[in-house]
Amino acid sequence: MKVMKFGGTSVGSPERMKNVCQLITKSGEPTFVVLSAMSGTTNSLVEISNYFYKKNPDGAHDIINQLERKYMAHVDELYTDEAIKKEITEFLHDRFSYLRSFSKDTFTSFEERAVVAQGEMLSTNMVTAYLKQIGVKAILLPALDFMKTDKNQEPDMNFIKANITDILEREKGYQIYITQGFICRNAYGEVDNLQRGGSDYTASIIGAAIQSEEIQIWTDIDGMHNNDPRIVDHTDPVHQLNFEEAAELAYFGAKILHPTCVQPAKNAGIPVALKNTMDPDATGTIINNRIERGTIKAVAAKDNITAIKIKSSRMLLASGFLRKIFDTFEEYNTSIDMVCTSEVGVSMSIDNPRNLDAIVDKLKKYGTITVDRNMCIICVVGDLDWENVGFESRVTQAMKDIPVRMISYGGSNFNISYLIKEEDKKRALQNLSAALFN
């Protein structure tokens, strides 16, 4: 069985919902489908939550009414069967009445998660109803019945696998199994969400749990490109990536995937295909365990980086110096992207400056601190094993006209990273594209 995930833009209108239904039924084989909320819906639900937090139910009701009118208009475009039309209309009225009910209670983060979860509830029920109307044997499996996180907010894979296996065993004989992405229950049984990777993460978890033959992530672009098409002309989709390469690209700026979302698929050895709902016949990108030797695959960029340099003569031969530095960042829950060291100094980059002032203040105990803001990490990904002689020099040669603050190489066999000023990003990406791919 394949798992197919469709994002918000893919189900963003009645016409696109119909296109999705054509895609998922085309093979005629049993398929597990994960759906996001219709595009724009989650933002509206977050806005509704904000009004409730501020004890302004009138503001919340205005947004609820707008959203309800939008969905009711979709009903007339999607359904011709009067019985199904009546059923989905009653369902929508019930969901929007549920949203209005929050004005009666004290609004907390628990209620907010319940409100935001309604987007996926709406889209999955509407698509399931449309499939039934066109004669497809489809069933909606609520994600809250089997998707659960543990006390560390990580997927509880044993629970998920056991429950989804039991459900599929009970519900044999359907062609399409639909569920919600993003939402789950936490360790205490409360409605929650998967935090990282959203619906993509749901699809990867389900694929691993049912040992799917393939996990397909459908978006509105044709896979990962070898550079940023918003900045560089004539980029191309990358046809194949190793899981490690995909994770590096996702972490360093390729927005099509969250860096952790394919981890369950990687652990289970299940390939992940990135496909385009606007061009279903396009090759897209396949992510698997295969490594193409001697190949540079793609370039990505990560903005809003801050570099911190600590210079100290006490660092030389001082045991525990680096531990103190890293402990400071851990204390303020701030992750580090790049690290470079010398005899008397260490430079690091971070992408979250929220606690920067406190971190710098504490680091001053250990040396002289220099901070560079408005920086950018340029990441080159491929088979960059150190035995592939000359690859790093090709990349560095392409960057010869760009001032480079830091270089990171050797921490991974799949990545060379350069820290540069944001103002030089466009030129760097264009230079690398010309040198490596054209």
Side-chain angles (χ1 to χ4, degrees), residues 43-62:
N43 289 339
S44 295
L45 293 169
V46 169
E47 189 176 2
I48 290 165
S49 297
N50 288 337
Y51 277 117
F52 281 137
Y53 265 128
K54 292 177 172 62
K55 301 188 184 304
N56 181 358
D58 291 340
H61 289 165
D62 284 343

Side-chain angles (χ1 to χ4, degrees), residues 78-145:
L78 277 170
Y79 309 106
T80 55
D81 184 291
E82 289 303 322
I84 291 177
K85 192 172 185 178
K86 182 174 183 291
E87 178 185 335
I88 201 69
T89 299
E90 290 175 353
F91 166 78
L92 291 175
H93 280 311
D94 176 72
R95 289 296 88 195
F96 286 107
S97 295
Y98 175 70
L99 289 174
R100 293 184 182 96
S101 72
F102 287 97
S103 60
K104 302 172 185 175
D105 302 312
T106 302
F107 200 77
T108 66
S109 59
F110 168 74
E111 278 79 22
E112 179 187 16
R113 293 193 295 269
V115 166
V116 173
Q118 298 310 303
E120 281 74 15
M121 302 285 196
L122 296 171
S123 63
T124 51
N125 275 274
M126 292 178 75
V127 170
T128 305
Y130 181 77
L131 286 168
K132 291 177 180 177
Q133 176 177 270
I134 62 175
V136 177
K137 195 171 183 185
I139 185 172
L140 175 59
L141 306 180
L144 299 181
D145 288 351

Side-chain angles (χ1 to χ4, degrees), residues 22 43 74 135 203 213 289:
Q22 289 180 344
N43 289 339
H74 294 337
E213 60 186 271
N289 280 317

